[in-house]
Amino acid sequence: SPGLSAVHYVPLVVFPILLLQGIVGNILAIPILISVSRSAWSTVMYLACLAVTDLVILLIRCGSTWYKEAVGVDVSRRIISSSDAACKAYYFSFVCVQHINPWIVVAMSVDLMIATRWPRRTYIMCTLERARHVLLLIGILVVCLDISHFWTYGVPKPGLDCMYTEEFSDLFKNQIWPAMDNTFGTVLPLAAVSTCFGITARTLLRRSPTLIVEEESEMKKYFLELAALKDFKMICFILCLIFIFLGLCKISYILLTLLDSLAYIEIDCVTRELFDTLNMTFTFLFYGAKIYIYIAFSSMFREKLKFGFFKTIRKLEFFCKKICRCSRKWTLVPPKDKSQETGSFSGQKRHSSYIGSTSTTGDITLYQSSGTETTPQIFEHATASCLDSCENVDNSSVNYRNWNQSVPENSRDQRTWEDVQIAGSGTNV
């Protein structure tokens, strides 16, 4: 049927695309968001932590679901059934991440409400230190709530699957505990975000343009990146709106499932699986597509992303040049006339001439002759031309290091420069 085809092909085709864009987008966004939180608005730290939890959920849920549809192997089931410790740790860690994710959105919505309702208190109430304390508090509360997974789940005997092992009544296991889990993980965060979002939207609608100009002129005294703060306020507003929509969809699905289990309504298996697949698709899209919102609404994010991209390209180019060296030949420019003086970096001159030996690997042994005695000295002009399509190096890009004077006076062949490195090419000369 069309429903069964959608249930099969949506995870098989759409989920890998969502997984790939989520991995790339969140990895790119995390360092930029941390940087913006330090310079523009501390609330952006919540977005960085949200990207981390989004990435973990995508890797575990989206990746496992897609691999099961493509290969027919449930990776998560194999991991948790491998041992009793893996079962307990896996369930505890994943449930903690799932519960932390919506409460980070709650913390972000509270800061958005403060920055909109009381903008003059933003620099006092929305600080980086307070954001760290809030994240720590959320982590402690979630761990205290989910610590019970260490004694309620396990592998009773080798060869069995990970299962619920605590001997509670079927009523508690099938109804009370799922209701508590959904209340803490979905209903309460949705109620908190909806309340803060309503106050924020009402404040924005009632604020006059004159008051907005006055507040911005005053906030310029405390925020260097006021434009970035306004951009990320809009981003947080949009994310809260999407979170409310997805939360309402999830609660609707939970209520339909509950009514079906209580025999108030009857939902066939195909329809239920289709609703579940659509719910997961929109949720994974929300987890992985936030970077598009950042790029569309924040100029600072775009600039930092562009700068990081070209910086990475330059590092890769330098790394490839250093690893994959081509065969090089170096030739020295003839020295100046002996009547001219050459010397140190300050421009003092002495009579000198250079003797060099070239090699195919790019290494050069340099000497400086002064009269009858050949002594290596720090030189000022050493220009080399690199054949085999290597970049030219000018005189200003030569770094010098002290000559090792421990070589005996009569062993001229052993006198070489300890390290003369041409900056930018990484070649020892």
Side-chain angles (χ1 to χ4, degrees):
S1 65
L4 288 177
S5 299
V7 170
H8 174 69
Y9 285 107
V10 168
L12 188 63
V13 178
V14 179
F15 281 14
I17 299 175
L18 300 178
L19 179 62
L20 180 61
Q21 77 166 7
I23 293 173
V24 175
N26 286 313
I27 290 177
L28 291 177
I30 289 172
I32 299 177
L33 293 174
I34 293 175
S35 176
V36 174
S37 68
R38 295 171 179 172
S39 60
W41 192 25
S42 60
T43 306
V44 184
M45 178 62 71
Y46 295 133
L47 296 179
C49 297
L50 195 64
V52 175
T53 57
D54 291 344
L55 182 61
V56 174
I57 295 174
L58 280 173
L59 289 173
I60 294 177
R61 286 196 62 194
C62 185
S64 178
T65 306
W66 166 70
Y67 193 80
K68 182 179 179 181
E69 291 292 334
V71 183
V73 177
D74 192 344
V75 179
S76 297
R77 178 61 58 182
R78 283 196 173 187
I79 293 174
I80 61 179
S81 300
S82 59
S83 65
D84 185 66
C87 173
K88 297 177 183 296
Y90 184 93
Y91 264 112
F92 170 75
S93 303
F94 182 65
V95 173
C96 280
V97 172
Q98 277 191 314
H99 285 163
I100 287 174
N101 186 276
W103 286 102
I104 293 177
V105 181
V106 172
M108 179 188 68
S109 65
V110 172
D111 274 18
L112 175 64
M113 180 189 67
I114 293 173
T116 307
R117 183 69 177 84
W118 303 283
R120 292 182 176 89
R121 301 181 184 179
T122 304
Y123 70 96
I124 298 176
M125 302 182 68
C126 302
T127 62
L128 195 59
E129 182 179 4
R130 180 165 295 183
R132 292 169 180 167
H133 292 166
V134 170
L135 291 172
L136 180 61
L137 178 62
I138 292 174
I140 292 174
L141 292 177
V142 169
V143 168
C144 293
L145 177 70
D146 297 328
I147 196 69
S148 61
H149 286 78
F150 277 104
W151 59 79
T152 55
Y153 283 89
V155 179
K157 296 180 181 179
L160 296 179
D161 291 338
C162 181
M163 62 182 64
Y164 192 86
T165 57
E166 189 66 29
E167 296 181 358
F168 289 123
S169 63
D170 293 338
L171 177 65
F172 180 85
K173 183 175 66 173
N174 297 328
Q175 297 183 15
I176 296 178
W177 176 251
M180 294 173 57
D181 183 65
N182 291 321
T183 300
F184 184 81
T186 305
V187 177
L188 290 181
L190 179 61
V193 174
S194 300
T195 303
C196 295
F197 181 83
I199 296 174
T200 303
R202 181 182 178 184
T203 303
L204 290 175
L205 293 175
R206 291 189 172 187
R207 181 162 296 174
S208 62
T210 306
L211 182 60
I212 294 176
V213 173
E214 293 177 359
E215 291 174 349
E216 289 182 357
S217 61
E218 184 176 351
M219 292 177 66
K220 288 180 180 179
K221 303 176 183 178
Y222 306 101
F223 294 96
L224 297 177
E225 300 289 348
L226 186 59
L229 188 148
K230 293 173 61 178
D231 293 341
F232 275 94
K233 283 172 64 176
M234 178 59 66
I235 289 172
C236 293
F237 187 85
I238 294 172
L239 292 179
C240 289
L241 181 61
I242 299 174
F243 178 83
I244 292 172
F245 171 76
L246 293 177
L248 291 175
C249 293
K250 186 175 181 180
I251 289 179
S252 301
Y253 174 74
I254 293 173
L255 290 177
L256 289 175
T257 306
L258 179 63
L259 293 175
D260 180 56
S261 63
L262 296 177
Y264 288 104
I265 60 175
E266 185 177 354
I267 302 176
D268 59 287
C269 181
V270 176
T271 305
R272 183 186 301 175
E273 290 292 332
L274 183 60
F275 284 165
D276 188 26
T277 302
L278 292 177
N279 181 35
M280 286 194 298
T281 302
F282 288 121
T283 304
F284 296 154
L285 182 62
F286 177 65
Y287 289 156
K290 291 187 180 72
I291 189 171
Y292 301 124
I293 302 177
Y294 303 150
I295 294 174
F297 291 94
S298 175
S299 57
M300 175 179 279
F301 188 91
R302 290 194 299 268
E303 292 174 0
K304 288 182 176 292
L305 183 63
K306 182 179 178 181
F307 175 77
F309 175 76
F310 286 110
K311 184 178 179 180
T312 304
I313 292 297
R314 288 193 296 268
K315 286 185 177 181
L316 289 175
E317 183 180 1
F318 175 75
F319 179 77
C320 291
K321 285 182 179 180
K322 194 171 183 180
I323 298 299
C324 307
R325 288 182 179 178
C326 60
S327 178
R328 301 175 180 178
K329 294 183 180 180
W330 297 83
T331 59
L332 289 176
V333 174
K336 293 184 178 181
D337 194 339
K338 290 185 178 181
S339 61
Q340 299 179 355
E341 295 180 347
T342 60
S344 62
F345 305 114
S346 61
Q348 298 177 353
K349 309 290 183 178
R350 283 190 227 141
H351 297 289
S352 62
S353 61
Y354 299 104
I355 305 173
S357 62
T358 64
S359 65
T360 58
T361 60
D363 296 330
I364 304 177
T365 304
L366 294 175
Y367 299 96
Q368 187 179 47
S369 61
S370 176
T372 58
E373 182 181 2
T374 303
T375 58
Q377 298 176 357
I378 296 178
F379 61 94
E380 180 182 8
H381 301 285
T383 305
S385 62
C386 179
L387 305 180
D388 298 334
S389 68
C390 297
E391 293 181 299
N392 293 330
V393 182
D394 59 326
N395 296 337
S396 62
S397 62
V398 179
N399 297 330
Y400 306 97
R401 289 191 182 178
N402 294 330
W403 170 255
N404 187 357
Q405 297 293 343
S406 61
V407 181
E409 196 69 29
N410 57 356
S411 58
R412 168 181 170 181
D413 293 339
Q414 298 180 8
R415 288 174 172 267
T416 58
W417 289 98
E418 180 181 0
D419 189 5
V420 179
Q421 185 177 12
I422 298 179
S425 65
T427 304
N428 290 330
V429 179

